[in-house]
Amino acid sequence: TKTQLSFYQRKAGSLRIAILTLEGELVDEKEIEAGAGYYHEPLDISSLPPSMYFIRVSGNDQQAFTKLQVIR
């Protein structure tokens, strides 16, 4: 199962995408190179059990969070 993370990046650079439990435990993480502008990154969530998660995108001295709910 995959989902897509969409975001806007002001300048090109390296980004780290982390999936965290609600308790803050790191479940999965990957680093990508993204160009400036709108970006869409597929995330493989097939190994995640049903639950609520946080997705943290960090890089370029900034970070943003969003929620992800896995339902099966």
Side-chain angles (χ1 to χ4, degrees), residues 40-54:
H40 308 283
E41 178 66 22
L43 298 176
D44 183 358
I45 58 169
S46 60
S47 65
L48 297 179
S51 188
M52 184 73 83
Y53 298 91
F54 288 118

Side-chain angles (χ1 to χ4, degrees), residues 4-15:
Q4 185 166 283
L5 178 65
S6 300
F7 55 91
Y8 179 80
Q9 173 149 307
R10 285 190 245 174
K11 61 180 183 177
S14 177
L15 295 177

Side-chain angles (χ1 to χ4, degrees), residues 1-64:
T1 308
K2 291 192 178 190
T3 190
Q4 185 166 283
L5 178 65
S6 300
F7 55 91
Y8 179 80
Q9 173 149 307
R10 285 190 245 174
K11 61 180 183 177
S14 177
L15 295 177
R16 179 166 286 157
I17 299 171
I19 300 176
L20 307 151
T21 66
L22 294 181
E23 293 78 30
E25 180 183 336
L26 182 65
V27 176
D28 194 13
E29 186 174 48
K30 68 179 181 177
E31 194 163 320
I32 62 169
E33 291 294 325
Y38 289 99
Y39 198 79
H40 308 283
E41 178 66 22
L43 298 176
D44 183 358
I45 58 169
S46 60
S47 65
L48 297 179
S51 188
M52 184 73 83
Y53 298 91
F54 288 118
I55 298 177
R56 179 181 64 212
V57 180
S58 56
N60 295 326
D61 297 323
Q62 296 182 343
Q63 65 178 353

